[in-house]
């Protein structure tokens, strides 16, 4: 709106005309790109690290705006593009170091067998989708190939609710119908909500390791004796798997996972050391173990008043396993890292839903058992996650305990209500095994050290006793000035990284 823009420009001019404008720009630099920086007030103390001697003490009242600005740190691009950009950069490095080594990770990891796996959710009912059977385009960035008809079935008739069971539309890539059920009443929203809240990944990883252990036994590869932290001697398989994983919310609102799985060895002298696996276990074996585990893992969730027999939770039929390498058609480490980093900054955006945590006061704006696809999914989460006391009294406890015991137990479905705004998914969007790579904390430390080294007072550390006083820039004009300064700096890096992520997509990492 012109009035807002005019007001903002006037604010910006006013700021730029202040005597200490450049001091202000410098002061806000660390948070400059942030959409809603945190404003802090209090005392900053510069301390000499060796002696603890206080070199200088300042109150934020002496600083421009009498405030310290700190970037919000939100990882979601939809919330704060700049902080998400920093986060994605860290995610890229974390993932990549696990593939190539670097920082504190030995470069020998580059020789470990690695696969890149996509685990999908099963079907909860037919949805409108877009599929291109064969690409004839030269460059997929400007792909204009014709998609196949959505659900082409002659004489398919109608479902029990009178909806056509076929769809002959060749959907455009931005068709809002994509991911929406052919019939809302046939679709099993409850099942999908429970599936999103499931814990399949943890069990799947255990199953993969079990398969590898069995394989070692078949091939006569002996277990390794290691000494645990508590001094006990244990015999463990000579291979283990470490992973980096990102969750992606599909348009239909089901979560799927892109996972890097790396095979590591075990050093009998140092349990924590990162060493290459035995030559006898290969990427083929890892591939086979992944497929076997994905097929095998089926869980039935606990009884629920709305479905006493619980829900079956298993992976979808499509499990896509790719090698990381340099050959044709392979995805490279940089591409995979860029791909995972990109998804690490997303959340439910692809579904069209975006809200903060729901409360009894706000849920009605989003949940509706008779509403559209998203409203029904959120309703399913909210309803299935209702508190324990509404359980029907005839629910048997698995352990045969008394009813009183049952009520005092945590409700296994409570998370669905807590994570209704995430359509039931309560996990992190990027996770990794501790052993997989460096930590985000290390990268932040390196950045802080670097920034400190840029200062004159590099030989001191700053300790703050600070209080939160608000978030956001003081005016839209301030936001414009600070963001513009930061944007110029970012743009150069941005181009390179997005190119890589795009290439990963083209190579079919996401197919
Ligand atoms: Zn931010
Ligand atoms: Zn369709
Ligand atoms: Zn194409
Ligand atoms: Zn129907």
């Amino acid at each position: 709106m012109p009035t807002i823009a005019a007001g903002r420009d006037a604010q910006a001019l006013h700021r730029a005309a202040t005597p200490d404008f450049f001091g202000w720009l410098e002061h806000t630099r660390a948070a400059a790109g942030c959409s809603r920086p945190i404003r802090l007030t209090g005392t900053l103390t510069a301390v000499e690290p060796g002696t603890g001697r206080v070199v200088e003490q300042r109150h934020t009242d002496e600083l421009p705006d009498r405030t310290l600005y700190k970037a919000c740190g939100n990882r979601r691009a939809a919330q704060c593009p700049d902080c998400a950009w920093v986060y994605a950069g860290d995610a890229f490095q974390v993932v990549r170091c696990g593939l190539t080594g670097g920082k504190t990770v030995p470069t020998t990891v580059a020789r470990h067998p690695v696969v890149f796996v996509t685990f999908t959710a099963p079907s909860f009912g037919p949805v409108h989708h877009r599929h291109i059977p064969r690409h004839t385009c030269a460059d997929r960035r400007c792909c204009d190939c014709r998609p196949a008809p959505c659900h082409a079935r002659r004489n398919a008739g109608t479902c029990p609710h009178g909806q056509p069971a076929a769809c002959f539309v060749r959907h455009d890539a931005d068709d809002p119908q994509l991911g929406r059920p052919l019939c809302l009443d046939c679709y099993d929203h409850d099942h999908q909500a429970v599936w999103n809240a499931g814990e399949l990944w943890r069990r799947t990883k255990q199953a993969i390791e079990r398969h590898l252990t069995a394989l070692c036994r078949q091939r006569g590869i002996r277990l390794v004796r290691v000494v645990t932290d508590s001094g006990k001697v244990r015999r463990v398989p000579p291979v283990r798997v470490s992973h980096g994983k990102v969750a992606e919310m599909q348009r239909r609102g089901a979560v799927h996972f892109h996972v890097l799985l790396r095979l590591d060895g075990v050093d009998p002298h140092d349990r924590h050391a990162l060493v290459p696996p035995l030559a006898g276990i290969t990427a083929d074996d890892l591939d086979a173990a992944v497929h076997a585990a994905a097929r095998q893992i089926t869980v039935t969730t606990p009884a629920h008043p709305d479905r006493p027999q619980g829900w079956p939770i298993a992976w979808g039929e499509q499990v896509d396993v790719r090698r990381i390498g340099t050959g044709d058609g392979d995805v490279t480490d940089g591409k995979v890292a860029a791909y995972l980093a990109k998804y690490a900054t997303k959340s439910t955006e692809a579904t069209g839903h975006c809200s903060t945590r729901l409360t009894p006061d706000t849920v009605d704006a989003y949940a509706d058992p008779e509403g559209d696809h998203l409203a029904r999914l959120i309703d399913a989460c909210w309803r299935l996650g209702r508190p324990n006391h509404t359980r029907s009294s005839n629910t048997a406890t698995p352990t045969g305990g008394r009813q009183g015991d049952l009520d005092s137990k945590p409700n296994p479905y409570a998370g669905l209500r807590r994570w209704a705004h995430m359509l039931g998914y309560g996990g992190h969007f990027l996770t990794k095994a501790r052993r997989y790579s460096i930590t985000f904390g290390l990268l932040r430390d390196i950045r802080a050290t670097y920034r400190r080294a840029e200062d004159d007072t590099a030989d001191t550390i700053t300790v703050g006793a600070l209080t939160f006083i608000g978030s956001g820039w003081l005016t839209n004009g301030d936001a414009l000035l600070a963001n513009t300064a930061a944007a110029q700096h970012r743009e150069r890096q941005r181009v390179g990284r997005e190119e890589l992520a795009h290439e990963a997509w083209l190579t079919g990492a996401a197919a």
Side-chain angles (χ1 to χ4, degrees), residues 31 33-38 70-76 79-84:
C34 183
S35 313
R36 281 183 73 77
I38 294 162
K70 192 175 182 319
C72 75
N74 198 306
R75 73 166 178 90
R76 288 174 65 174
Q79 304 282 329
C80 182
D82 201 76
C83 289

Side-chain angles (χ1 to χ4, degrees), residues 2-22:
T3 45
I4 290 180
R8 185 193 61 186
D9 291 353
Q11 290 160 350
L13 284 173
H14 179 76
R15 170 67 79 181
T18 55
D20 191 29
F21 173 58
F22 289 101

